[in-house]
Amino acid sequence: MSSLRDDGFELNSEKKISLNPRERARILRKIDWHLLPFVTVFFLLSFLDRANIGNATVAGMATSLNLTGFRYNIAAAVFFIPYSFAEVPSNIALKLFRPSRWIPSIMVAWGVVMTLMCLVKSYQSLVVARAFLGLTEAGLYPGINYYICLWYPRSERSKRIAIFFSAASVAVAFGGLLAYGIERMDGVGGLRGWQWIVCLHTTVLVAIYSFFYMHDYPETAKFLTEPERLYIMNMLKQDANHLSTRFDTQFIWQAIKDYKTYVQILIYLGLLVPGYAIALFSPTIIKELGYSAANAQLLTVPPFVAGAIATIIVGVYSDKHNLRGPYIIGGALVSLVGYILLYCSVQAGPSYVGACLAAAGNYPTVAVILAWAGSNAGGDLKRGVVLAMVIGISNLGGVCSSFIYIDPPRFHIGHGTIMGFLSLSIIMSLFAMWDYNRLNKKKEAQCLAENITDDRGYEFEDMGDASPLFRRAP
């Protein structure tokens, strides 16, 4: 039995609401307007704060703090160690506490650290500050990805992750423009230009605002009407194959013991090492092509604008076709061509084109792999732990990124290493696609043989993605 409400929602006897595609899209857009601006600004500020060390170095920090030899590399690398190990505990905390309390608290912490970083007077104090920045920023990136999974079905996540991740490209591009302007403040207030680069930001103000206006979960969202809320909750329950949403340590162990978690880690690692290398060293690479420091800051902008645009386009089409692996492989190949140009070319023009291709190919793949990892982990807590493991362990690759660009002006070691990591990502993506198709066929045969249908979903609620009803996107 079902009845049609005055507001156009069809409500059946089990309190399940069915909508036409237009109404479904309208509700999802409504959620977008209330969620995506928050998470996009959060990530933009996060990436801007962690990556501006590259701009600050070109702007004079290397001279002021005597960053000779491997000192800059160490200062860049130390960020990733506490950052990596704090991500799983942070996502578990996000499950235990409200997102509108946990995520803004993280932002306040790293905002304070970032502000105080302008006061560092030595290489040693810079290393300590970068370590604390990594610790305080650790929970934001996996937390936002987990947060997206709490609001959207699997088929809608890639484009949303792409939208907020495109902020990373914008952050690096904006960081170059910002650094170009802020360098002119050299001497103002007794601070050098590079000190103003790390000092000027709005992270704490945005965090305080989000304490009051960030939404936690669909079931508590005041901007949704009761029928809209019921529809979203029912849609998410069906999308999750009725898997458990409660907190239980068995789901943490499911994530840790699953070999597919480590396949996703290797794919993401192969993409993240190039991503961080682009963010940390693009000003230096472009400067070594023969441009002045100021022009190198400006010339970092176009590659990352291209990366931001490509990220959103690829995210949309990845969701539309419900495919992840092919888009990762395609983007990695484009980035690989860019690095081949950087490796082989001796002229500034082709090398700069290579830098643009490297960013435009790499950045879209990161959003897709995170949607892939989150969508193929079954159950709320396991999904949160898998995302934190994939992001956390792979971020140790940032240590590698920090030490490979050591042979200017051609940087053959750096470019060659990154080509190897991109190849790793391509190979592991091909394996994952084959493996997921194999597992899906196996489960389809099991359901057919044992007459397992959706109405028996409660029998498998604690099995996570091992449930015979759970299917993976290739």
Side-chain angles (χ1 to χ4, degrees):
M1 293 290 293
S2 63
S3 60
L4 187 65
R5 294 165 50 102
D6 293 338
D7 52 13
F9 287 83
E10 186 179 346
L11 182 64
N12 64 24
S13 59
E14 297 178 349
K15 293 188 177 181
K16 292 181 180 179
I17 294 177
S18 59
L19 295 177
N20 61 48
R22 182 175 296 179
E23 279 297 300
R24 181 181 186 273
R26 181 190 65 80
I27 295 176
L28 289 173
R29 282 197 303 271
K30 189 175 183 180
I31 294 175
D32 291 342
W33 281 110
H34 285 85
L35 264 65
L36 294 184
F38 274 104
V39 299
T40 302
V41 171
F42 293 170
F43 192 60
L44 187 151
L45 292 172
S46 167
F47 209 87
L48 185 63
D49 286 348
R50 83 178 65 166
N52 64 13
I53 188 175
N55 300 110
T57 299
V58 173
M61 185 176 70
T63 302
S64 295
L65 301 184
N66 192 28
L67 300 184
T68 57
F70 286 103
R71 285 187 166 190
Y72 170 73
N73 307 78
I74 294 171
V78 73
F79 170 93
F80 297 102
I81 298 172
Y83 184 88
S84 298
F85 289 106
E87 294 197 350
V88 171
S90 180
N91 259 18
I92 294 173
L94 184 63
K95 178 66 177 176
L96 293 172
F97 303 105
R98 293 163 56 189
S100 65
R101 294 296 175 263
W102 184 251
I103 292 177
S105 297
I106 291 171
M107 295 180 66
V108 170
W110 101 61
V112 170
V113 171
M114 198 69 209
T115 301
L116 296 176
M117 194 179 293
C118 73
L119 302 178
V120 299
K121 301 295 184 182
S122 66
Y123 158 69
Q124 290 80 5
S125 57
L126 176 65
V127 169
V128 172
R130 287 283 296 177
F132 274 98
L133 183 65
L135 179 65
T136 50
E137 271 197 37
L140 184 82
Y141 190 26
I144 290 178
N145 280 278
Y146 187 23
Y147 182 60
I148 292 289
C149 292
L150 299 175
W151 285 84
Y152 295 96
R154 288 182 287 171
S155 61
E156 300 286 344
R157 290 174 191 163
S158 181
K159 66 172 74 73
R160 271 80 186 185
I161 294 174
I163 288 170
F164 92 74
F165 185 76
S166 65
S169 303
V170 173
V172 181
F174 180 68
L177 285 173
L178 190 64
Y180 179 78
I182 293 177
E183 271 192 81
R184 272 63 185 165
M185 295 177 64
D186 190 66
V188 176
L191 298 178
R192 298 294 308 276
W194 70 265
Q195 290 174 298
W196 282 113
I197 288 175
V198 299
C199 179
L200 290 178
H201 60 89
T202 59
T203 301
V204 175
L205 294 177
V206 172
I208 292 172
Y209 178 85
S210 61
F211 267 117
F212 300 98
Y213 295 100
M214 184 179 177
H215 302 281
D216 289 307
Y217 310 107
E219 54 266 36
T220 60
K222 294 181 180 179
F223 67 88
L224 294 173
T225 65
E226 183 61 29
E228 290 170 344
R229 187 179 298 112
L230 185 59
Y231 172 75
I232 291 296
M233 292 168 61
N234 180 61
M235 177 182 63
L236 292 171
K237 185 176 180 180
Q238 290 181 331
D239 183 68
N241 299 105
H242 303 278
L243 297 176
S244 176
T245 60
R246 74 180 192 279
F247 183 91
D248 193 309
T249 55
Q250 69 168 310
F251 304 126
I252 298 175
W253 288 110
Q254 283 181 6
I256 293 172
K257 294 178 180 179
D258 191 345
Y259 76 90
K260 296 180 291 298
T261 302
Y262 300 96
V263 172
Q264 295 286 340
I265 287 171
L266 289 174
I267 297 172
Y268 191 39
L269 179 67
L271 301 171
L272 208 60
V273 173
Y276 275 127
I278 294 168
L280 291 171
F281 291 98
S282 57
T284 302
I285 292 169
I286 292 172
K287 184 181 177 183
E288 290 294 341
L289 294 178
Y291 299 100
S292 67
N295 287 333
Q297 304 280 23
L298 287 177
L299 287 170
T300 60
V301 176
F304 297 104
V305 171
I309 295 170
T311 296
I312 295 174
I313 293 172
V314 170
V316 169
Y317 280 95
S318 175
D319 273 353
K320 181 178 180 180
H321 299 139
N322 196 29
L323 290 173
R324 310 302 186 202
Y327 284 95
I328 292 172
I329 293 169
L333 287 172
V334 171
S335 190
L336 191 58
V337 170
Y339 278 105
I340 290 172
L341 277 174
L342 282 166
Y343 189 95
C344 297
S345 178
V346 295
Q347 296 179 326
S351 296
Y352 186 69
V353 171
C356 292
L357 289 175
N362 177 263
Y363 274 91
T365 62
V366 175
V368 177
I369 178 59
L370 293 176
W372 206 14
S375 297
N376 287 336
D380 273 3
L381 184 56
K382 180 179 180 181
R383 183 180 304 116
V385 174
V386 166
L387 281 169
M389 288 179 64
V390 169
I391 295 170
I393 296 174
S394 298
N395 265 286
L396 288 172
V399 177
C400 174
S401 303
S402 304
F403 284 97
I404 55 178
Y405 279 90
I406 56 176
D407 55 336
R410 299 291 301 281
F411 296 111
H412 281 157
I413 294 174
H415 298 330
T417 301
I418 285 180
M419 286 190 280
F421 274 101
L422 288 169
S423 300
L424 170 68
S425 186
I426 292 169
I427 292 168
M428 296 311 298
S429 294
L430 289 169
F431 171 78
M433 291 168 60
W434 169 82
D435 190 46
Y436 293 166
N437 280 318
R438 177 185 66 85
L439 292 172
N440 285 344
K441 290 178 181 178
K442 184 177 179 180
K443 289 183 179 182
E444 287 167 6
Q446 180 185 355
C447 290
L448 185 63
E450 301 177 18
N451 194 28
I452 299 173
T453 56
D454 287 341
D455 57 3
R456 292 178 56 188
Y458 66 91
E459 298 178 28
F460 315 106
E461 66 176 3
D462 289 343
M463 292 182 64
D465 47 71
S467 165
L469 294 170
F470 191 91
R471 300 291 184 270
R472 293 176 173 82

